[in-house]
Amino acid sequence: MTRSSASGKIILFGEHAVVYGRPALAVPVTQVHVDVDVSDSSRPGIWIEAPDVNLYAELNTLPSDHPVASVLHNFLFLSRVSPFPSLEIKITSTIPVASGLGSGAAVTVALTRALAAHLDHSMPDEEVNAFTYEIEKLHHGTPSGIDNTVITYAKPVYFVKDQSVEMFKVGQAFTLVIADTGISAPTKESVGDVRRLWMNDRARWESVFDRIGDISLTARRAIEAGKPELLGELMNENHALLQTLTVSSPELDGLVQAARTAGAPGAKLSGGGRGGNMIALVEPEMAETVSLALQEAGARSTIITQISCNGLRRYCRIWQ
Ligand code: PMV
C-alpha cells in the first residue's frame, strides 16, 4: 500500500485581486488534511472508496467530469503506465468541502502523489503543481493557481499569478483562529461575479485590486520582519475591500465582527467568500476565547493554528 497526504490551506491576504495579477499570501493548515491510500486490487478495475463524500465506485462508472475521475483519467493519460493495474484507492479527508480550505486541490495533490509513488512514476513537485493546476481549471474556471501551489509545496507562499511564487520567512510565529460559516459556496460563482463587476467599471475595480495587492506586500514585509501585530489592521482593511467586491455575506461579516469584539485585532473572510471560512489574528492566550466567541456567533467549527517559519530559506524562489 502507498499512502500520500496533503494539508489544507488558507489565504491570508489578496484573494480575488490575485486573479487580476496582484500578489496574495497563503499558508498551509496542517490541522486538516486529505489522506490517500493506493493498493493493488484482486478484482479488475480501479475501485474508489471515499466515505466522507459517500463515494464507492469503479472508475468507469463515474462521469468523466467527476473530480476524482478527472484526476485519475488525466493521470492515466499523462503517466502512460500500460497496462494499468487494478487498484483500490481510499480517500479520506478532514478538510471541509467548498469552504476555502483547498479541499479539491488537496485531493488532487495527495491522489496524484500516491498514484505516482505506487506506480513508480517519477513526479517532481513542479509537475504535481502543474498537473493540479490543470485539474483546478477543469472545475473552477479561471483559478489563479494559488491553491495548488501552497498545497503542493506545503509552505507559506507569496504568489503572483503567471509570474512568481516565493516562499517567505516568518520572522515571528503568529496565531490565527479559522472559523467555518458552514455554508458551502462555490468559488467559481464569486469569481464570476467579481469579473462581471470588473467588466462594467474596470478603472474602479483595478484601483481596489491595486490596494489589495499593496496590502499583501505590506503584510509579507510585516511577517518577515517579525511584526505580526501589524497584520490586524491590514486584515480589517482587506475585509472591507472584499465587502465592496460583494464577496462577503451576513454570516461572514457576523463572524468577523464577533472575533473583533472578542479581542481579535483583525479579521477577514478567506478564500472565495460568500460562505466558507474567515480568519482572525489573535494573541496566543486569546485564541480559545475568540474561538469560543466564534462558535457562539454561529461558526460550525473553528481551528486554532500557528503560522511559523519551519526553517524556510529567505526568498526561496520556486519558479518565475
Ligand atoms: O475559495 P478558495 O480558497 O479556493 O480561494 C479562492 C481564491 C480566489 O482568489 C477567489 C480565486 C483564485 O483562484 O485565486
Side-chain angles (χ1 to χ4, degrees), residues 9-11 14-19 98-102 136 140 142-147 159 185 187 190-191 270-273:
K9 71 97 209 352
I10 203 88
I11 296 181
E15 50 275 273
H16 287 287
V18 69
V19 176
S99 68
L101 287 171
E136 291 280 287
H140 301 302
T142 54
S144 62
I146 191 168
D147 279 22
F159 178 91
T187 296
S190 62
V191 168
S270 174

mmCIF file with all atom_site columns, all heavy atoms in Angstrom, residues 9-11 14-19 98-102 136 140 142-147 159 185 187 190-191 270-273, ligand 1:
data_model
loop_
_atom_site.group_PDB
_atom_site.id
_atom_site.type_symbol
_atom_site.label_atom_id
_atom_site.label_alt_id
_atom_site.label_comp_id
_atom_site.label_asym_id
_atom_site.label_entity_id
_atom_site.label_seq_id
_atom_site.pdbx_PDB_ins_code
_atom_site.Cartn_x
_atom_site.Cartn_y
_atom_site.Cartn_z
_atom_site.occupancy
_atom_site.B_iso_or_equiv
_atom_site.pdbx_formal_charge
_atom_site.auth_seq_id
_atom_site.auth_comp_id
_atom_site.auth_asym_id
_atom_site.auth_atom_id
_atom_site.pdbx_PDB_model_num
ATOM   1   N N   . LYS A 1 9   ? -5.223  24.598 3.299   1.00 0.00 ? 9   LYS A N   1
ATOM   2   C CA  . LYS A 1 9   ? -4.530  25.887 3.185   1.00 0.00 ? 9   LYS A CA  1
ATOM   3   C C   . LYS A 1 9   ? -5.509  27.022 3.519   1.00 0.00 ? 9   LYS A C   1
ATOM   4   O O   . LYS A 1 9   ? -6.730  26.819 3.525   1.00 0.00 ? 9   LYS A O   1
ATOM   5   C CB  . LYS A 1 9   ? -3.982  26.083 1.763   1.00 0.00 ? 9   LYS A CB  1
ATOM   6   C CG  . LYS A 1 9   ? -5.089  26.332 0.717   1.00 0.00 ? 9   LYS A CG  1
ATOM   7   C CD  . LYS A 1 9   ? -5.260  27.776 0.448   1.00 0.00 ? 9   LYS A CD  1
ATOM   8   C CE  . LYS A 1 9   ? -6.565  28.308 0.025   1.00 0.00 ? 9   LYS A CE  1
ATOM   9   N NZ  . LYS A 1 9   ? -7.743  27.848 -0.341  1.00 0.00 ? 9   LYS A NZ  1
ATOM   10  N N   . ILE A 1 10  ? -4.946  28.175 3.782   1.00 0.00 ? 10  ILE A N   1
ATOM   11  C CA  . ILE A 1 10  ? -5.790  29.338 3.975   1.00 0.00 ? 10  ILE A CA  1
ATOM   12  C C   . ILE A 1 10  ? -5.126  30.520 3.261   1.00 0.00 ? 10  ILE A C   1
ATOM   13  O O   . ILE A 1 10  ? -3.903  30.620 3.249   1.00 0.00 ? 10  ILE A O   1
ATOM   14  C CB  . ILE A 1 10  ? -6.019  29.610 5.494   1.00 0.00 ? 10  ILE A CB  1
ATOM   15  C CG1 . ILE A 1 10  ? -7.277  30.412 5.746   1.00 0.00 ? 10  ILE A CG1 1
ATOM   16  C CG2 . ILE A 1 10  ? -4.841  30.271 6.160   1.00 0.00 ? 10  ILE A CG2 1
ATOM   17  C CD1 . ILE A 1 10  ? -8.498  29.575 5.899   1.00 0.00 ? 10  ILE A CD1 1
ATOM   18  N N   . ILE A 1 11  ? -5.945  31.367 2.663   1.00 0.00 ? 11  ILE A N   1
ATOM   19  C CA  . ILE A 1 11  ? -5.382  32.587 2.064   1.00 0.00 ? 11  ILE A CA  1
ATOM   20  C C   . ILE A 1 11  ? -5.374  33.668 3.139   1.00 0.00 ? 11  ILE A C   1
ATOM   21  O O   . ILE A 1 11  ? -6.407  33.930 3.770   1.00 0.00 ? 11  ILE A O   1
ATOM   22  C CB  . ILE A 1 11  ? -6.207  33.028 0.834   1.00 0.00 ? 11  ILE A CB  1
ATOM   23  C CG1 . ILE A 1 11  ? -6.110  31.953 -0.254  1.00 0.00 ? 11  ILE A CG1 1
ATOM   24  C CG2 . ILE A 1 11  ? -5.704  34.382 0.314   1.00 0.00 ? 11  ILE A CG2 1
ATOM   25  C CD1 . ILE A 1 11  ? -6.863  32.263 -1.537  1.00 0.00 ? 11  ILE A CD1 1
ATOM   26  N N   . GLY A 1 14  ? -5.233  38.889 -0.167  1.00 0.00 ? 14  GLY A N   1
ATOM   27  C CA  . GLY A 1 14  ? -5.102  39.019 -1.620  1.00 0.00 ? 14  GLY A CA  1
ATOM   28  C C   . GLY A 1 14  ? -6.049  38.190 -2.477  1.00 0.00 ? 14  GLY A C   1
ATOM   29  O O   . GLY A 1 14  ? -5.950  38.241 -3.702  1.00 0.00 ? 14  GLY A O   1
ATOM   30  N N   . GLU A 1 15  ? -7.003  37.437 -1.857  1.00 0.00 ? 15  GLU A N   1
ATOM   31  C CA  . GLU A 1 15  ? -7.924  36.661 -2.692  1.00 0.00 ? 15  GLU A CA  1
ATOM   32  C C   . GLU A 1 15  ? -8.686  37.595 -3.637  1.00 0.00 ? 15  GLU A C   1
ATOM   33  O O   . GLU A 1 15  ? -8.863  38.779 -3.359  1.00 0.00 ? 15  GLU A O   1
ATOM   34  C CB  . GLU A 1 15  ? -8.913  35.808 -1.863  1.00 0.00 ? 15  GLU A CB  1
ATOM   35  C CG  . GLU A 1 15  ? -9.658  36.507 -0.758  1.00 0.00 ? 15  GLU A CG  1
ATOM   36  C CD  . GLU A 1 15  ? -8.846  36.538 0.521   1.00 0.00 ? 15  GLU A CD  1
ATOM   37  O OE1 . GLU A 1 15  ? -8.912  35.593 1.319   1.00 0.00 ? 15  GLU A OE1 1
ATOM   38  O OE2 . GLU A 1 15  ? -8.143  37.556 0.694   1.00 0.00 ? 15  GLU A OE2 1
ATOM   39  N N   . HIS A 1 16  ? -9.125  37.075 -4.722  1.00 0.00 ? 16  HIS A N   1
ATOM   40  C CA  . HIS A 1 16  ? -9.813  37.777 -5.818  1.00 0.00 ? 16  HIS A CA  1
ATOM   41  C C   . HIS A 1 16  ? -8.866  38.710 -6.581  1.00 0.00 ? 16  HIS A C   1
ATOM   42  O O   . HIS A 1 16  ? -8.736  38.569 -7.795  1.00 0.00 ? 16  HIS A O   1
ATOM   43  C CB  . HIS A 1 16  ? -11.083 38.514 -5.346  1.00 0.00 ? 16  HIS A CB  1
ATOM   44  C CG  . HIS A 1 16  ? -12.193 37.552 -5.033  1.00 0.00 ? 16  HIS A CG  1
ATOM   45  N ND1 . HIS A 1 16  ? -12.885 36.883 -6.014  1.00 0.00 ? 16  HIS A ND1 1
ATOM   46  C CD2 . HIS A 1 16  ? -12.676 37.092 -3.849  1.00 0.00 ? 16  HIS A CD2 1
ATOM   47  C CE1 . HIS A 1 16  ? -13.776 36.077 -5.446  1.00 0.00 ? 16  HIS A CE1 1
ATOM   48  N NE2 . HIS A 1 16  ? -13.663 36.183 -4.134  1.00 0.00 ? 16  HIS A NE2 1
ATOM   49  N N   . ALA A 1 17  ? -8.176  39.636 -5.879  1.00 0.00 ? 17  ALA A N   1
ATOM   50  C CA  . ALA A 1 17  ? -7.240  40.510 -6.597  1.00 0.00 ? 17  ALA A CA  1
ATOM   51  C C   . ALA A 1 17  ? -6.146  39.668 -7.264  1.00 0.00 ? 17  ALA A C   1
ATOM   52  O O   . ALA A 1 17  ? -5.601  40.052 -8.307  1.00 0.00 ? 17  ALA A O   1
ATOM   53  C CB  . ALA A 1 17  ? -6.624  41.519 -5.633  1.00 0.00 ? 17  ALA A CB  1
ATOM   54  N N   . VAL A 1 18  ? -5.848  38.500 -6.683  1.00 0.00 ? 18  VAL A N   1
ATOM   55  C CA  . VAL A 1 18  ? -4.796  37.635 -7.223  1.00 0.00 ? 18  VAL A CA  1
ATOM   56  C C   . VAL A 1 18  ? -5.147  37.135 -8.627  1.00 0.00 ? 18  VAL A C   1
ATOM   57  O O   . VAL A 1 18  ? -4.282  36.891 -9.455  1.00 0.00 ? 18  VAL A O   1
ATOM   58  C CB  . VAL A 1 18  ? -4.514  36.457 -6.241  1.00 0.00 ? 18  VAL A CB  1
ATOM   59  C CG1 . VAL A 1 18  ? -5.662  35.471 -6.180  1.00 0.00 ? 18  VAL A CG1 1
ATOM   60  C CG2 . VAL A 1 18  ? -3.227  35.735 -6.595  1.00 0.00 ? 18  VAL A CG2 1
ATOM   61  N N   . VAL A 1 19  ? -6.453  37.028 -8.898  1.00 0.00 ? 19  VAL A N   1
ATOM   62  C CA  . VAL A 1 19  ? -6.897  36.591 -10.227 1.00 0.00 ? 19  VAL A CA  1
ATOM   63  C C   . VAL A 1 19  ? -6.514  37.649 -11.280 1.00 0.00 ? 19  VAL A C   1
ATOM   64  O O   . VAL A 1 19  ? -6.339  37.350 -12.450 1.00 0.00 ? 19  VAL A O   1
ATOM   65  C CB  . VAL A 1 19  ? -8.431  36.338 -10.209 1.00 0.00 ? 19  VAL A CB  1
ATOM   66  C CG1 . VAL A 1 19  ? -8.960  35.987 -11.586 1.00 0.00 ? 19  VAL A CG1 1
ATOM   67  C CG2 . VAL A 1 19  ? -8.793  35.257 -9.186  1.00 0.00 ? 19  VAL A CG2 1
ATOM   68  N N   . ALA A 1 98  ? -15.593 22.919 -0.311  1.00 0.00 ? 98  ALA A N   1
ATOM   69  C CA  . ALA A 1 98  ? -16.059 24.244 -0.783  1.00 0.00 ? 98  ALA A CA  1
ATOM   70  C C   . ALA A 1 98  ? -16.125 25.277 0.328   1.00 0.00 ? 98  ALA A C   1
ATOM   71  O O   . ALA A 1 98  ? -17.102 26.001 0.480   1.00 0.00 ? 98  ALA A O   1
ATOM   72  C CB  . ALA A 1 98  ? -17.423 24.117 -1.472  1.00 0.00 ? 98  ALA A CB  1
ATOM   73  N N   . SER A 1 99  ? -15.078 25.330 1.143   1.00 0.00 ? 99  SER A N   1
ATOM   74  C CA  . SER A 1 99  ? -15.101 26.276 2.255   1.00 0.00 ? 99  SER A CA  1
ATOM   75  C C   . SER A 1 99  ? -13.854 27.149 2.301   1.00 0.00 ? 99  SER A C   1
ATOM   76  O O   . SER A 1 99  ? -13.620 27.841 3.275   1.00 0.00 ? 99  SER A O   1
ATOM   77  C CB  . SER A 1 99  ? -15.237 25.509 3.570   1.00 0.00 ? 99  SER A CB  1
ATOM   78  O OG  . SER A 1 99  ? -14.053 24.780 3.793   1.00 0.00 ? 99  SER A OG  1
ATOM   79  N N   . GLY A 1 100 ? -13.028 27.088 1.250   1.00 0.00 ? 100 GLY A N   1
ATOM   80  C CA  . GLY A 1 100 ? -11.853 27.955 1.212   1.00 0.00 ? 100 GLY A CA  1
ATOM   81  C C   . GLY A 1 100 ? -10.622 27.346 1.845   1.00 0.00 ? 100 GLY A C   1
ATOM   82  O O   . GLY A 1 100 ? -9.612  28.017 2.012   1.00 0.00 ? 100 GLY A O   1
ATOM   83  N N   . LEU A 1 101 ? -10.697 26.053 2.203   1.00 0.00 ? 101 LEU A N   1
ATOM   84  C CA  . LEU A 1 101 ? -9.522  25.410 2.802   1.00 0.00 ? 101 LEU A CA  1
ATOM   85  C C   . LEU A 1 101 ? -8.785  24.511 1.803   1.00 0.00 ? 101 LEU A C   1
ATOM   86  O O   . LEU A 1 101 ? -7.902  23.743 2.180   1.00 0.00 ? 101 LEU A O   1
ATOM   87  C CB  . LEU A 1 101 ? -9.920  24.618 4.045   1.00 0.00 ? 101 LEU A CB  1
ATOM   88  C CG  . LEU A 1 101 ? -10.259 25.476 5.273   1.00 0.00 ? 101 LEU A CG  1
ATOM   89  C CD1 . LEU A 1 101 ? -10.849 24.628 6.383   1.00 0.00 ? 101 LEU A CD1 1
ATOM   90  C CD2 . LEU A 1 101 ? -9.036  26.212 5.801   1.00 0.00 ? 101 LEU A CD2 1
ATOM   91  N N   . GLY A 1 102 ? -9.176  24.603 0.547   1.00 0.00 ? 102 GLY A N   1
ATOM   92  C CA  . GLY A 1 102 ? -8.401  23.927 -0.502  1.00 0.00 ? 102 GLY A CA  1
ATOM   93  C C   . GLY A 1 102 ? -8.637  22.433 -0.611  1.00 0.00 ? 102 GLY A C   1
ATOM   94  O O   . GLY A 1 102 ? -7.738  21.689 -1.027  1.00 0.00 ? 102 GLY A O   1
ATOM   95  N N   . GLU A 1 136 ? -7.575  21.916 -11.422 1.00 0.00 ? 136 GLU A N   1
ATOM   96  C CA  . GLU A 1 136 ? -8.316  23.040 -10.834 1.00 0.00 ? 136 GLU A CA  1
ATOM   97  C C   . GLU A 1 136 ? -9.051  23.818 -11.926 1.00 0.00 ? 136 GLU A C   1
ATOM   98  O O   . GLU A 1 136 ? -10.182 24.257 -11.743 1.00 0.00 ? 136 GLU A O   1
ATOM   99  C CB  . GLU A 1 136 ? -7.361  23.984 -10.090 1.00 0.00 ? 136 GLU A CB  1
ATOM   100 C CG  . GLU A 1 136 ? -6.767  23.398 -8.820  1.00 0.00 ? 136 GLU A CG  1
ATOM   101 C CD  . GLU A 1 136 ? -7.735  23.463 -7.656  1.00 0.00 ? 136 GLU A CD  1
ATOM   102 O OE1 . GLU A 1 136 ? -7.967  24.563 -7.131  1.00 0.00 ? 136 GLU A OE1 1
ATOM   103 O OE2 . GLU A 1 136 ? -8.277  22.401 -7.285  1.00 0.00 ? 136 GLU A OE2 1
ATOM   104 N N   . HIS A 1 140 ? -12.843 24.915 -11.735 1.00 0.00 ? 140 HIS A N   1
ATOM   105 C CA  . HIS A 1 140 ? -13.055 26.261 -11.179 1.00 0.00 ? 140 HIS A CA  1
ATOM   106 C C   . HIS A 1 140 ? -12.967 27.371 -12.210 1.00 0.00 ? 140 HIS A C   1
ATOM   107 O O   . HIS A 1 140 ? -12.885 28.534 -11.847 1.00 0.00 ? 140 HIS A O   1
ATOM   108 C CB  . HIS A 1 140 ? -12.063 26.533 -10.044 1.00 0.00 ? 140 HIS A CB  1
ATOM   109 C CG  . HIS A 1 140 ? -12.175 25.558 -8.921  1.00 0.00 ? 140 HIS A CG  1
ATOM   110 N ND1 . HIS A 1 140 ? -13.343 25.375 -8.224  1.00 0.00 ? 140 HIS A ND1 1
ATOM   111 C CD2 . HIS A 1 140 ? -11.284 24.692 -8.382  1.00 0.00 ? 140 HIS A CD2 1
ATOM   112 C CE1 . HIS A 1 140 ? -13.160 24.439 -7.309  1.00 0.00 ? 140 HIS A CE1 1
ATOM   113 N NE2 . HIS A 1 140 ? -11.923 24.006 -7.386  1.00 0.00 ? 140 HIS A NE2 1
ATOM   114 N N   . THR A 1 142 ? -11.365 29.885 -13.912 1.00 0.00 ? 142 THR A N   1
ATOM   115 C CA  . THR A 1 142 ? -10.112 30.636 -14.088 1.00 0.00 ? 142 THR A CA  1
ATOM   116 C C   . THR A 1 142 ? -9.376  30.789 -12.758 1.00 0.00 ? 142 THR A C   1
ATOM   117 O O   . THR A 1 142 ? -9.205  31.907 -12.270 1.00 0.00 ? 142 THR A O   1
ATOM   118 C CB  . THR A 1 142 ? -10.394 32.049 -14.642 1.00 0.00 ? 142 THR A CB  1
ATOM   119 O OG1 . THR A 1 142 ? -11.352 32.680 -13.761 1.00 0.00 ? 142 THR A OG1 1
ATOM   120 C CG2 . THR A 1 142 ? -10.949 32.009 -16.045 1.00 0.00 ? 142 THR A CG2 1
ATOM   121 N N   . PRO A 1 143 ? -8.940  29.703 -12.146 1.00 0.00 ? 143 PRO A N   1
ATOM   122 C CA  . PRO A 1 143 ? -8.257  29.835 -10.853 1.00 0.00 ? 143 PRO A CA  1
ATOM   123 C C   . PRO A 1 143 ? -6.911  30.523 -11.034 1.00 0.00 ? 143 PRO A C   1
ATOM   124 O O   . PRO A 1 143 ? -6.281  30.403 -12.086 1.00 0.00 ? 143 PRO A O   1
ATOM   125 C CB  . PRO A 1 143 ? -8.068  28.390 -10.399 1.00 0.00 ? 143 PRO A CB  1
ATOM   126 C CG  . PRO A 1 143 ? -8.031  27.599 -11.653 1.00 0.00 ? 143 PRO A CG  1
ATOM   127 C CD  . PRO A 1 143 ? -8.923  28.314 -12.626 1.00 0.00 ? 143 PRO A CD  1
ATOM   128 N N   . SER A 1 144 ? -6.480  31.209 -9.985  1.00 0.00 ? 144 SER A N   1
ATOM   129 C CA  . SER A 1 144 ? -5.183  31.896 -10.080 1.00 0.00 ? 144 SER A CA  1
ATOM   130 C C   . SER A 1 144 ? -4.025  30.906 -10.000 1.00 0.00 ? 144 SER A C   1
ATOM   131 O O   . SER A 1 144 ? -2.937  31.187 -10.485 1.00 0.00 ? 144 SER A O   1
ATOM   132 C CB  . SER A 1 144 ? -5.063  32.907 -8.937  1.00 0.00 ? 144 SER A CB  1
ATOM   133 O OG  . SER A 1 144 ? -5.110  32.220 -7.693  1.00 0.00 ? 144 SER A OG  1
ATOM   134 N N   . GLY A 1 145 ? -4.244  29.773 -9.333  1.00 0.00 ? 145 GLY A N   1
ATOM   135 C CA  . GLY A 1 145 ? -3.153  28.805 -9.140  1.00 0.00 ? 145 GLY A CA  1
ATOM   136 C C   . GLY A 1 145 ? -2.570  28.858 -7.736  1.00 0.00 ? 145 GLY A C   1
ATOM   137 O O   . GLY A 1 145 ? -1.660  28.101 -7.406  1.00 0.00 ? 145 GLY A O   1
ATOM   138 N N   . ILE A 1 146 ? -3.119  29.720 -6.871  1.00 0.00 ? 146 ILE A N   1
ATOM   139 C CA  . ILE A 1 146 ? -2.535  29.839 -5.529  1.00 0.00 ? 146 ILE A CA  1
ATOM   140 C C   . ILE A 1 146 ? -2.813  28.588 -4.685  1.00 0.00 ? 146 ILE A C   1
ATOM   141 O O   . ILE A 1 146 ? -1.942  28.140 -3.937  1.00 0.00 ? 146 ILE A O   1
ATOM   142 C CB  . ILE A 1 146 ? -3.019  31.135 -4.813  1.00 0.00 ? 146 ILE A CB  1
ATOM   143 C CG1 . ILE A 1 146 ? -2.188  31.374 -3.552  1.00 0.00 ? 146 ILE A CG1 1
ATOM   144 C CG2 . ILE A 1 146 ? -4.507  31.111 -4.532  1.00 0.00 ? 146 ILE A CG2 1
ATOM   145 C CD1 . ILE A 1 146 ? -2.384  32.748 -2.935  1.00 0.00 ? 146 ILE A CD1 1
ATOM   146 N N   . ASP A 1 147 ? -4.010  27.995 -4.832  1.00 0.00 ? 147 ASP A N   1
ATOM   147 C CA  . ASP A 1 147 ? -4.353  26.826 -4.014  1.00 0.00 ? 147 ASP A CA  1
ATOM   148 C C   . ASP A 1 147 ? -3.410  25.659 -4.289  1.00 0.00 ? 147 ASP A C   1
ATOM   149 O O   . ASP A 1 147 ? -2.827  25.076 -3.373  1.00 0.00 ? 147 ASP A O   1
ATOM   150 C CB  . ASP A 1 147 ? -5.788  26.353 -4.313  1.00 0.00 ? 147 ASP A CB  1
ATOM   151 C CG  . ASP A 1 147 ? -6.825  27.175 -3.592  1.00 0.00 ? 147 ASP A CG  1
ATOM   152 O OD1 . ASP A 1 147 ? -6.511  28.316 -3.224  1.00 0.00 ? 147 ASP A OD1 1
ATOM   153 O OD2 . ASP A 1 147 ? -7.956  26.677 -3.415  1.00 0.00 ? 147 ASP A OD2 1
ATOM   154 N N   . PHE A 1 159 ? 2.417   34.815 -3.769  1.00 0.00 ? 159 PHE A N   1
ATOM   155 C CA  . PHE A 1 159 ? 2.090   34.286 -5.093  1.00 0.00 ? 159 PHE A CA  1
ATOM   156 C C   . PHE A 1 159 ? 1.649   35.407 -6.030  1.00 0.00 ? 159 PHE A C   1
ATOM   157 O O   . PHE A 1 159 ? 0.765   36.204 -5.680  1.00 0.00 ? 159 PHE A O   1
ATOM   158 C CB  . PHE A 1 159 ? 0.945   33.278 -4.915  1.00 0.00 ? 159 PHE A CB  1
ATOM   159 C CG  . PHE A 1 159 ? 0.442   32.667 -6.184  1.00 0.00 ? 159 PHE A CG  1
ATOM   160 C CD1 . PHE A 1 159 ? 0.981   31.483 -6.667  1.00 0.00 ? 159 PHE A CD1 1
ATOM   161 C CD2 . PHE A 1 159 ? -0.593  33.276 -6.895  1.00 0.00 ? 159 PHE A CD2 1
ATOM   162 C CE1 . PHE A 1 159 ? 0.505   30.913 -7.841  1.00 0.00 ? 159 PHE A CE1 1
ATOM   163 C CE2 . PHE A 1 159 ? -1.067  32.719 -8.070  1.00 0.00 ? 159 PHE A CE2 1
ATOM   164 C CZ  . PHE A 1 159 ? -0.523  31.533 -8.537  1.00 0.00 ? 159 PHE A CZ  1
ATOM   165 N N   . ALA A 1 185 ? -19.852 27.472 -0.521  1.00 0.00 ? 185 ALA A N   1
ATOM   166 C CA  . ALA A 1 185 ? -20.040 28.491 -1.560  1.00 0.00 ? 185 ALA A CA  1
ATOM   167 C C   . ALA A 1 185 ? -19.032 28.256 -2.680  1.00 0.00 ? 185 ALA A C   1
ATOM   168 O O   . ALA A 1 185 ? -17.835 28.334 -2.440  1.00 0.00 ? 185 ALA A O   1
ATOM   169 C CB  . ALA A 1 185 ? -19.835 29.871 -0.949  1.00 0.00 ? 185 ALA A CB  1
ATOM   170 N N   . THR A 1 187 ? -16.438 28.779 -5.321  1.00 0.00 ? 187 THR A N   1
ATOM   171 C CA  . THR A 1 187 ? -15.540 29.889 -5.658  1.00 0.00 ? 187 THR A CA  1
ATOM   172 C C   . THR A 1 187 ? -15.811 30.403 -7.073  1.00 0.00 ? 187 THR A C   1
ATOM   173 O O   . THR A 1 187 ? -15.717 31.598 -7.352  1.00 0.00 ? 187 THR A O   1
ATOM   174 C CB  . THR A 1 187 ? -14.082 29.402 -5.544  1.00 0.00 ? 187 THR A CB  1
ATOM   175 O OG1 . THR A 1 187 ? -13.849 29.057 -4.181  1.00 0.00 ? 187 THR A OG1 1
ATOM   176 C CG2 . THR A 1 187 ? -13.086 30.465 -5.939  1.00 0.00 ? 187 THR A CG2 1
ATOM   177 N N   . SER A 1 190 ? -18.362 33.317 -7.071  1.00 0.00 ? 190 SER A N   1
ATOM   178 C CA  . SER A 1 190 ? -17.918 34.645 -6.600  1.00 0.00 ? 190 SER A CA  1
ATOM   179 C C   . SER A 1 190 ? -16.871 35.214 -7.556  1.00 0.00 ? 190 SER A C   1
ATOM   180 O O   . SER A 1 190 ? -16.862 36.419 -7.821  1.00 0.00 ? 190 SER A O   1
ATOM   181 C CB  . SER A 1 190 ? -17.409 34.592 -5.156  1.00 0.00 ? 190 SER A CB  1
ATOM   182 O OG  . SER A 1 190 ? -16.289 33.756 -5.031  1.00 0.00 ? 190 SER A OG  1
ATOM   183 N N   . VAL A 1 191 ? -16.014 34.344 -8.108  1.00 0.00 ? 191 VAL A N   1
ATOM   184 C CA  . VAL A 1 191 ? -15.014 34.829 -9.074  1.00 0.00 ? 191 VAL A CA  1
ATOM   185 C C   . VAL A 1 191 ? -15.727 35.375 -10.318 1.00 0.00 ? 191 VAL A C   1
ATOM   186 O O   . VAL A 1 191 ? -15.357 36.426 -10.850 1.00 0.00 ? 191 VAL A O   1
ATOM   187 C CB  . VAL A 1 191 ? -14.014 33.693 -9.436  1.00 0.00 ? 191 VAL A CB  1
ATOM   188 C CG1 . VAL A 1 191 ? -13.157 34.068 -10.633 1.00 0.00 ? 191 VAL A CG1 1
ATOM   189 C CG2 . VAL A 1 191 ? -13.119 33.374 -8.242  1.00 0.00 ? 191 VAL A CG2 1
ATOM   190 N N   . SER A 1 270 ? -11.771 34.581 4.133   1.00 0.00 ? 270 SER A N   1
ATOM   191 C CA  . SER A 1 270 ? -10.613 33.998 3.470   1.00 0.00 ? 270 SER A CA  1
ATOM   192 C C   . SER A 1 270 ? -11.081 33.097 2.339   1.00 0.00 ? 270 SER A C   1
ATOM   193 O O   . SER A 1 270 ? -11.962 32.257 2.528   1.00 0.00 ? 270 SER A O   1
ATOM   194 C CB  . SER A 1 270 ? -9.796  33.185 4.479   1.00 0.00 ? 270 SER A CB  1
ATOM   195 O OG  . SER A 1 270 ? -8.763  32.500 3.818   1.00 0.00 ? 270 SER A OG  1
ATOM   196 N N   . GLY A 1 271 ? -10.517 33.311 1.148   1.00 0.00 ? 271 GLY A N   1
ATOM   197 C CA  . GLY A 1 271 ? -10.886 32.470 0.005   1.00 0.00 ? 271 GLY A CA  1
ATOM   198 C C   . GLY A 1 271 ? -11.942 33.145 -0.847  1.00 0.00 ? 271 GLY A C   1
ATOM   199 O O   . GLY A 1 271 ? -12.049 34.375 -0.896  1.00 0.00 ? 271 GLY A O   1
ATOM   200 N N   . GLY A 1 272 ? -12.740 32.322 -1.511  1.00 0.00 ? 272 GLY A N   1
ATOM   201 C CA  . GLY A 1 272 ? -13.714 32.844 -2.469  1.00 0.00 ? 272 GLY A CA  1
ATOM   202 C C   . GLY A 1 272 ? -14.801 33.698 -1.845  1.00 0.00 ? 272 GLY A C   1
ATOM   203 O O   . GLY A 1 272 ? -15.352 34.593 -2.483  1.00 0.00 ? 272 GLY A O   1
ATOM   204 N N   . GLY A 1 273 ? -15.149 33.443 -0.571  1.00 0.00 ? 273 GLY A N   1
ATOM   205 C CA  . GLY A 1 273 ? -16.154 34.246 0.121   1.00 0.00 ? 273 GLY A CA  1
ATOM   206 C C   . GLY A 1 273 ? -17.568 33.739 -0.072  1.00 0.00 ? 273 GLY A C   1
ATOM   207 O O   . GLY A 1 273 ? -17.789 32.622 -0.514  1.00 0.00 ? 273 GLY A O   1
HETATM 208 O O1  . PMV B 2 .   ? -12.025 29.622 -2.211  1.00 0.00 ? 1   PMV B O1  1
HETATM 209 P P1  . PMV B 2 .   ? -10.585 29.325 -2.309  1.00 0.00 ? 1   PMV B P1  1
HETATM 210 O O2  . PMV B 2 .   ? -9.913  29.190 -1.025  1.00 0.00 ? 1   PMV B O2  1
HETATM 211 O O3  . PMV B 2 .   ? -10.261 28.253 -3.264  1.00 0.00 ? 1   PMV B O3  1
HETATM 212 O O4  . PMV B 2 .   ? -9.854  30.634 -2.831  1.00 0.00 ? 1   PMV B O4  1
HETATM 213 C C1  . PMV B 2 .   ? -10.207 31.282 -3.971  1.00 0.00 ? 1   PMV B C1  1
HETATM 214 C C2  . PMV B 2 .   ? -9.296  32.430 -4.138  1.00 0.00 ? 1   PMV B C2  1
HETATM 215 C C3  . PMV B 2 .   ? -9.678  33.330 -5.285  1.00 0.00 ? 1   PMV B C3  1
HETATM 216 O O5  . PMV B 2 .   ? -8.676  34.350 -5.313  1.00 0.00 ? 1   PMV B O5  1
HETATM 217 C C4  . PMV B 2 .   ? -11.020 33.967 -5.042  1.00 0.00 ? 1   PMV B C4  1
HETATM 218 C C5  . PMV B 2 .   ? -9.709  32.602 -6.603  1.00 0.00 ? 1   PMV B C5  1
HETATM 219 C C6  . PMV B 2 .   ? -8.358  32.137 -7.078  1.00 0.00 ? 1   PMV B C6  1
HETATM 220 O O6  . PMV B 2 .   ? -8.344  31.283 -7.965  1.00 0.00 ? 1   PMV B O6  1
HETATM 221 O O7  . PMV B 2 .   ? -7.321  32.632 -6.608  1.00 0.00 ? 1   PMV B O7  1
#
